[in-house]
Amino acid sequence: MEEERYIARFWDVIENGRQMDESVHDVVDRLTSALISMDAESVLQWGLLFDRYHKLAYKGKIWGAANIMDDGFCSDDGVMDSRAGLISQGREVYHAALRNPDSLAALPKQNDVRFESVNYVAMTTYEDMTGKDYGDALANLWLSPEMEKAIAG
């Protein structure tokens, strides 16, 4: 199934980009390197998947967990960045957290749970590769119902 191939590629890039206890800058550098090796259309597809996974994690209990992990202060911007951090932890951690946000308590404490820069990796890479506006390019793309269903699990 083509949907599963795109999803697997998305998570492969994430898995290859992350290392525990590394700074967000190291993760961004690895993700950017992986995206640069793709064609521009694939970068857009990856970004579209990132955005969808990001939206799926917009849940009150995830926000609550982010608040605890951020020592009691997680604003709306902070939770946006924490969702990027959650995605950056990989497929297993991400899906476990959606099922049970308390599962995040088992992870090693990181100095920074906010991965703001990860939110912009696809946009920056695409614009650097093509010189075109990422938002304009995404406006012409959407996920098929089959892809939406595969993402939602």
Side-chain angles (χ1 to χ4, degrees):
M1 183 183 288
E2 188 169 328
E3 292 83 14
E4 284 300 321
R5 185 174 60 85
Y6 281 116
I7 290 170
R9 185 173 187 189
F10 172 84
W11 287 113
D12 284 347
V13 169
I14 293 291
E15 291 292 337
N16 292 329
R18 73 176 187 89
Q19 297 290 326
M20 288 297 191
D21 298 328
E22 284 193 322
S23 75
V24 64
H25 302 292
D26 293 332
V27 173
V28 167
D29 288 347
R30 279 198 177 87
L31 292 174
T32 301
S33 293
L35 293 180
I36 286 172
S37 71
M38 298 178 186
D39 60 74
E41 194 67 30
S42 295
V43 173
L44 285 174
Q45 182 70 33
W46 190 92
L48 197 59
L49 289 172
F50 180 90
D51 290 347
R52 186 65 183 118
Y53 281 114
H54 200 266
K55 287 177 185 148
L56 279 174
Y58 191 65
K59 299 176 184 270
K61 290 185 178 184
I62 296 291
W63 192 326
N67 193 44
I68 291 167
M69 293 169 67
D70 200 19
D71 296 326
F73 179 75
C74 195
S75 66
D76 54 347
D77 283 345
V79 78
M80 181 179 98
D81 302 340
S82 295
R83 286 182 287 151
L86 175 59
I87 293 167
S88 298
Q89 294 297 317
R91 189 177 202 167
E92 266 186 51
V93 171
Y94 174 86
H95 286 295
L98 289 188
R99 287 189 302 276
N100 178 15
D102 290 342
S103 67
L104 295 171
L107 295 178
K109 174 116 171 92
Q110 291 186 316
N111 291 334
D112 189 0
V113 297
R114 298 181 191 188
F115 278 49
E116 179 182 11
S117 303
V118 174
N119 289 310
Y120 309 109
V121 170
M123 176 188 73
T124 303
T125 303
Y126 178 81
E127 290 180 352
D128 287 350
M129 287 173 77
T130 65
K132 296 178 183 174
D133 184 76
Y134 179 76
D136 290 346
L138 273 186
N140 298 317
L141 295 178
W142 61 90
L143 296 173
S144 68
E146 294 82 13
M147 183 68 87
E148 288 282 354
K149 185 177 177 182
I151 290 169

